[in-house]
């Protein structure tokens, strides 16, 4: 079977590309073993990252400026929004797309050919949006969360030590977001680790932390478990989304970046200009620094980061090809860090250990 576009994987990235391509009248085949599978993860984004073609109906609520607790308290002067994943998936409708419920066994983007376990062969331009698999040695993000009937503030990161962990144990933070009227997600998160903290450890820490704060849980609340690599994606070769290197290695975010890049990919243009590749290399250096920080210094690092001007924060967190802004943010952060942390960051960023 021939098509103008063959999309492998129907997570947010693949579905966005299929939706935008079909909307332009292109012939599209989308291949996924479970194309009707619901998305159970909680996705969120900085509002200014989300492209204009994504309507407000896909969000669970209005944008808010979240709080960060590092050494002290910070307000992030930037709107943050949580997706209603069911509505996001519905908005990325596959009208006009030929959907194949099958598993890809061979993919050759250069030749424009895909084979499936069911014995079918497809030819056309290929977009590989199947994500990144876990592998030994890859840094991962893990989290354990519960949804509680409550109202509360949006907290992007809370590094305070009321989760029962000792100051020299690997750090985790509390992530708190409203996911609907009167409903809050409380999630204990290991930002990145090699290896990352297990969901079992994070569950124990979350229950201890919520108990310390007087937030009652009865054991029947909806649970969210998160584990995914923050590295391993590779630009080029028809890859897109997490598979194509769009995961931010210091945050794990990729959904908004994939939505914003969908039209570019559908057009056949390259996302990976020399400036974008340089930014990606700088972000990987930032990941090495995070992995090398002693647990006591992690809040100190984020204290310095969230003390930066909002424009500097945005450049590092969201500037896909903003090389000038990313360099300026990293320079400003390095200047703000205490000398003891600066040395660790410099050595690890340069890959000297």
């Amino acid at each position: 079977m021939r098509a103008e576009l063959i999309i492998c994987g129907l997570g947010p990235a693949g579905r966005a590309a299929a939706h935008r391509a079909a909307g332009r009248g292109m012939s599209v085949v989308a291949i996924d073993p479970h194309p009707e599978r619901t998305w159970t993860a909680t996705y969120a984004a900085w509002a200014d990252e989300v492209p204009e073609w994504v309507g407000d109906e896909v969000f669970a609520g209005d944008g808010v400026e979240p709080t960060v607790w590092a050494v002290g308290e910070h307000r992030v002067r930037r709107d943050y929004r949580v997706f209603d994943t069911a509505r996001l998936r519905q908005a990325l409708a596959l009208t006009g797309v030929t959907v194949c419920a099958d598993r890809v066994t061979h993919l050759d983007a250069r030749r424009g050919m895909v084979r499936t376990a069911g014995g079918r062969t497809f030819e056309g331009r290929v977009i590989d949006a199947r994500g990144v698999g876990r592998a030994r040695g890859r840094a991962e993000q893990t989290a354990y969360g519960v949804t509680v009937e409550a109202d509360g503030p949006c907290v992007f990161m809370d590094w305070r030590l009321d989760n029962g962990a000792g100051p020299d144990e690997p750090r985790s933070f509390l992530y708190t977001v409203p996911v609907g009227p009167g409903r809050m997600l409380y999630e204990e998160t290991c930002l990145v680790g090699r290896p990352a903290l297990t969901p079992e450890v994070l569950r124990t820490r979350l229950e201890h932390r919520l108990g310390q704060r007087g937030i009652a849980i009865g054991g029947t609340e909806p649970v969210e478990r998160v584990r995914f690599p923050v590295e391993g994606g590779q630009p080029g070769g028809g890859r897109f989304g997490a598979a194509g290197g769009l995961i931010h290695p210091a945050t794990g975010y990729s959904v908004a970046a994939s939505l914003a890049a969908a039209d570019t990919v559908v057009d056949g243009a390259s996302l990976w200009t020399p400036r974008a590749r340089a930014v990606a290399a700088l972000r990987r250096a930032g990941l090495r620094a995070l992995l090398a920080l002693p647990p006591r210094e992690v809040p100190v690092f984020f204290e310095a980061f969230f003390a930066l001007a909002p424009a500097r924060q945005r450049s590092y967190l969201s500037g896909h090809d903003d090389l000038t802004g990313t360099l300026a943010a990293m320079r400003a952060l390095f200047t703000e860090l205490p000398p003891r942390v600066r040395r660790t960051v410099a050595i690890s960023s340069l890959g000297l250990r």
Side-chain angles (χ1 to χ4, degrees):
M1 181 177 178
R2 291 196 60 85
E4 290 177 81
L5 204 57
I6 304 164
I7 296 173
C8 303
L10 282 174
R15 197 172 177 100
H19 171 76
R20 296 299 283 174
R24 299 182 187 194
M26 298 174 67
S27 60
V28 183
V29 171
I31 307 169
D32 190 287
H34 306 287
E36 299 304 319
R37 178 172 46 200
T38 58
W39 299 340
T40 57
T42 300
Y43 300 133
W46 302 106
D48 54 23
E49 284 189 331
V50 180
E52 292 183 358
W53 59 263
V54 177
D56 276 354
E57 72 277 1
V58 305
F59 295 104
D62 296 331
V64 296
E65 293 183 346
T67 297
V68 168
W69 281 95
V71 176
E73 183 180 10
H74 301 265
R75 175 65 62 87
V76 182
R77 300 299 179 184
R78 194 176 175 199
D79 276 357
Y80 187 72
R81 303 193 74 173
V82 177
F83 289 104
D84 181 313
T85 51
R87 282 187 276 172
L88 174 62
R89 192 174 176 281
Q90 185 177 20
L92 300 176
L94 298 181
T95 305
V97 176
T98 299
V99 178
C100 176
D102 206 343
R103 178 173 57 85
V104 172
T105 56
H106 180 76
L107 184 154
D108 189 330
R110 186 178 60 82
R111 293 176 55 200
M113 186 269 291
V114 173
R115 291 198 187 98
T116 70
R120 303 186 69 180
T121 300
F122 298 90
E123 295 181 348
R125 182 160 65 89
V126 177
I127 293 177
D128 183 3
R130 291 177 294 169
V132 180
R134 297 180 61 199
R136 182 183 295 275
R138 281 184 182 163
E140 292 185 321
Q141 182 173 124
T142 51
Y144 180 92
V146 294
T147 299
V148 176
E149 298 294 325
D151 289 301
C154 178
V155 181
F156 187 62
M157 290 179 170
D158 188 342
W159 292 100
R160 290 177 291 182
L161 274 179
D162 60 345
N163 60 2
D168 294 314
E169 293 185 75
R171 286 290 181 123
S172 58
F173 65 89
L174 180 66
Y175 172 69
T176 304
V177 289
V179 291
R183 297 171 63 241
M184 296 292 297
L185 172 67
Y186 295 97
E187 195 158 81
E188 192 76 17
T189 303
C190 172
L191 180 62
V192 63
R194 193 188 284 137
L197 292 170
T198 67
E200 292 74 25
V201 168
L202 294 171
R203 176 180 180 173
T204 299
R205 291 187 179 187
L206 177 64
E207 291 174 349
H208 189 281
R209 194 191 295 267
L210 295 184
Q212 291 291 104
R213 300 187 184 195
I215 300 170
I217 55 174
T220 60
E221 295 82 5
V223 169
E224 177 170 289
R225 294 176 176 85
V226 175
R227 182 186 286 272
F228 62 89
V230 297
E231 58 184 354
Q234 296 293 328
R239 292 176 289 270
F240 180 48
L246 285 182
I247 285 184
H248 195 304
T251 65
Y253 283 31
S254 67
V255 172
S258 298
L259 294 173
D263 284 342
T264 301
V265 169
V266 167
D267 288 340
S270 175
L271 292 174
W272 294 101
T273 63
R275 294 176 70 87
R277 288 178 181 272
V279 168
L282 289 171
R283 289 177 174 177
R284 290 194 295 272
L287 173 63
R288 291 194 295 273
L290 285 175
L291 289 167
L293 285 173
R296 288 177 182 266
E297 307 296 2
V298 172
V300 176
F301 179 90
F302 284 101
E303 180 73 15
F305 181 84
F306 286 105
L308 298 178
R312 293 280 184 261
Q313 295 178 31
R314 188 191 185 285
S315 292
Y316 186 75
L317 294 174
S318 305
H320 173 70
D321 60 356
D322 183 5
L323 179 57
T324 301
T326 301
L327 282 168
M330 295 180 79
R331 222 172 7 242
L333 173 62
F334 190 75
T335 302
E336 289 294 321
L337 291 170
R340 66 183 186 279
V341 182
R342 206 181 295 165
R343 182 176 183 277
T344 301
V345 167
I347 291 172
S348 57
S349 296
L350 294 172
L352 300 179
R353 73 173 184 190

